[in-house]
Amino acid sequence: MFKIAVLPGDGIGAEIVPEAVKVLEVVGKKFGHSFDFTEGLIGGAAIDAVGVPLPEDTLKLCKSSHAVLLGAIGGPKWDTLPVHLRPEAGALLPLRKALGLYANLRPATLYNSLLEASTLKKEVIEGIDIMVIRELTGGLYFGEKKREKTPEGQIAVDTLVYSTEEIKRIARLGFEIAMKRKKVLHSVDKANVLESSRLWRETVTEMSAEFPEVELIHMYVDNCAMQLVRWPKQFDVIVTENMFGDILTDQASMLTGSIGMLPSASLGGQVGLYEPSHGSAPDIAGQKKANPLATILSAAMMLRYAFDLSKEAQIIEDAVVKVLELGFRTPDIMKEGFKLVNTEEMGDRVAEQIGA
Ligand code: IPM
Ligand code: MG
């Protein structure tokens, strides 16, 4: 039995997570696996119910599960709370830290049937398959922060810290994944300006001696942002620090048509966390407009990485391809001539493909 902690969170989280659970249930039934789902509170939903964004019970539930499936957190309702109570800084970041999830895998894969959904030209994006590995528990998001009053106003400080060890473990994963793919690794930094990036570059370069078959290419983050839209096919595996990865993965998602398509797996500790790369989209929450495919594909990543069920993972991924080929589209990827479906119907179509 696989124990899965289910944390729908806020906004569209409550709409997309049930679709991934639905798909997992169908997979379980078909292949004789039993998945045991237990729901927990996180983010704004937890603040409203119990006053804190990451309740002790939720943390306990995650730690005693085999994997965590998360929807999304945050929304305007909680944006004005003190930082430690806000869903982002008070729940998601501490959860990643508490579970030791230093590596975030965000694959940007273009589905052929979505060629038309991207705002970029067909010849630029055709065949895109990029794995971005984002360092997830270090850097600016976790460094010391402070405010000080000055006669003129205030100063605000965020600290950007990386240690050799932190860089080594994520770089190693980058090389290992590159070895299993095209053996080309782009390491993205800002070594022309930042000291932490200079340590990053030195450390990654040193490690490359252990992986002589992998071609290592260093790239500045600003150049990478430009190259990602100019000629994304030059990339296969990208490894980068926390904030650069946060930004570049939102950008990479648009190569694939919609951020609603981009799954993620956060690894490194005993229990992995699987969540779509997108946020809680308060603007469309409660309207059944959200695309559940990123979450469904995150569930596939869970099967592959947490439970070693690659065949089952592949079946979910194939079902998603099939449903897109059949022309079903949520509003974010809708184009004339296709069949518009809501969140729940999209989940049903995927489940149907698997059950068939
Ligand atoms: C993401 C999100 C989070 C992050 C926010 C909500 C804290 O943008 O998962 O990319 O920055 O990591
Ligand atoms: Mg982000």
Side-chain angles (χ1 to χ4, degrees), residues 82-96:
V83 176
H84 68 283
L85 282 179
R86 286 179 49 174
E88 296 83 353
L92 188 55
L93 299 186
L95 178 63
R96 289 170 177 167

Side-chain angles (χ1 to χ4, degrees), residues 86-304:
R86 286 179 49 174
E88 296 83 353
L92 188 55
L93 299 186
L95 178 63
R96 289 170 177 167
K97 193 78 166 182
L99 296 177
L101 307 173
Y102 63 83
N104 184 217
L105 271 47
R106 297 187 166 181
T109 315
L110 179 76
Y111 295 90
N112 273 333
S113 42
L114 288 186
L115 257 182
E116 310 296 330
S118 176
T119 50
L120 290 148
K121 284 190 195 134
K122 196 172 155 188
E123 60 269 27
V124 173
I125 54 169
E126 213 160 20
I128 289 261
D129 178 10
I130 306 173
M131 177 64 89
V132 185
I133 305 166
R134 168 187 175 193
E135 201 291 326
L136 202 59
T137 52
L140 264 182
Y141 295 13
F142 287 90
E144 195 194 328
K145 297 169 198 314
K146 64 178 184 206
R147 289 276 191 118
E148 270 169 30
K149 286 209 166 34
T150 63
E152 294 77 31
Q154 294 184 54
I155 55 167
V157 183
D158 290 290
T159 328
L160 171 44
V161 182
Y162 268 108
S163 69
T164 310
E165 275 318 298
E166 284 175 308
I167 301 169
K168 269 189 178 166
R169 62 186 184 183
I170 193 79
R172 182 170 299 285
L173 187 69
F175 282 108
E176 283 168 0
I177 292 180
M179 277 302 284
K180 292 189 193 146
R181 295 175 49 118
K182 293 190 182 149
K183 301 189 179 167
V184 180
L185 177 65
H186 281 83
S187 171
V188 174
D189 61 37
K190 186 73 186 171
N192 49 347
V193 176
L194 300 175
E195 204 51 48
S196 57
S197 276
R198 283 191 275 274
L199 180 62
W200 180 281
R201 193 173 278 221
E202 281 162 33
T203 310
V204 176
T205 304
E206 232 166 75
M207 183 163 288
S208 69
E210 287 179 45
F211 298 89
E213 285 176 58
V214 176
E215 185 190 354
L216 171 65
I217 300 165
H218 297 287
M219 193 177 264
Y220 295 139
V221 62
D222 45 353
N223 183 25
C224 181
M226 185 266 277
Q227 298 294 343
L228 265 176
V229 285
R230 190 188 73 87
W231 195 244
K233 276 182 250 187
Q234 66 190 286
F235 298 106
D236 188 58
V237 181
I238 295 176
V239 65
T240 191
E241 63 98 71
N242 202 345
M243 182 171 70
F244 298 160
D246 186 19
I247 298 169
L248 293 175
T249 51
D250 264 35
Q251 188 180 350
S253 75
M254 281 319 290
L255 305 172
T256 72
S258 165
I259 195 164
M261 295 297 303
L262 204 75
S264 95
S266 301
L267 310 172
Q270 297 263 313
V271 184
L273 175 76
Y274 301 82
E275 55 171 325
S277 298
H278 59 70
S280 58
D283 53 325
I284 57 163
Q287 303 171 35
K288 294 190 178 178
K289 284 184 181 165
N291 183 346
L293 293 178
T295 318
I296 291 172
L297 292 166
S298 302
M301 291 185 91
M302 174 189 288
L303 295 183
R304 181 171 288 120

